[in-house]
């Protein structure tokens, strides 16, 4: 059995588009996406997808066959 609580809300890296001033996803140094453009939200979503995939693959290697994993993941309704 694996258990993770609130560790999945952090990103491993800043999406590169957010700091590129020529990108439509440029976020002007802000560290959030609430109220930002759809390009900013998409950049964060892509980074999260990479990170959650990496996390789940790593945890799947640690679980016994037919093991269970319980996750508590905070989120922002969208």
């Amino acid at each position: 059995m694996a258990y993770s609580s609130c560790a999945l809300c952090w990103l491993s890296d800043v999406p590169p588009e957010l700091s590129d001033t020529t990108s439509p996803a440029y976020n002007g140094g802000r560290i959030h996406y609430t109220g930002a453009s759809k390009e900013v939200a998409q950049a964060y979503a892509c980074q999260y997808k990479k990170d959650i995939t990496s996390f789940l693959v790593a945890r799947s290697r640690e679980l016994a066959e037919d093991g269970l994993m319980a996750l508590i993941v905070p989120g922002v309704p969208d």
Side-chain angles (χ1 to χ4, degrees):
M1 172 83 168
Y3 172 81
S4 179
S5 175
C6 300
L8 298 177
C9 60
W10 302 102
L11 297 179
S12 67
D13 212 351
V14 175
E17 307 93 317
L18 300 183
S19 56
D20 178 359
T21 58
T22 64
S23 169
Y26 177 66
N27 204 24
R30 293 179 292 171
I31 60 168
H32 57 84
Y33 63 86
T34 304
S37 70
K38 65 178 181 178
E39 290 85 6
V40 170
Q42 184 62 35
Y44 277 111
C46 286
Q47 184 64 47
Y48 180 78
K49 182 177 179 181
K50 290 177 195 174
D51 290 346
I52 194 69
T53 299
S54 175
F55 174 85
L56 292 173
V57 166
R59 298 299 73 80
S60 73
R61 293 179 182 143
E62 297 171 346
L63 288 174
E65 187 174 337
D66 296 326
L68 298 174
M69 184 178 343
L71 302 174
I72 298 173
V73 183
V76 178
D78 186 300

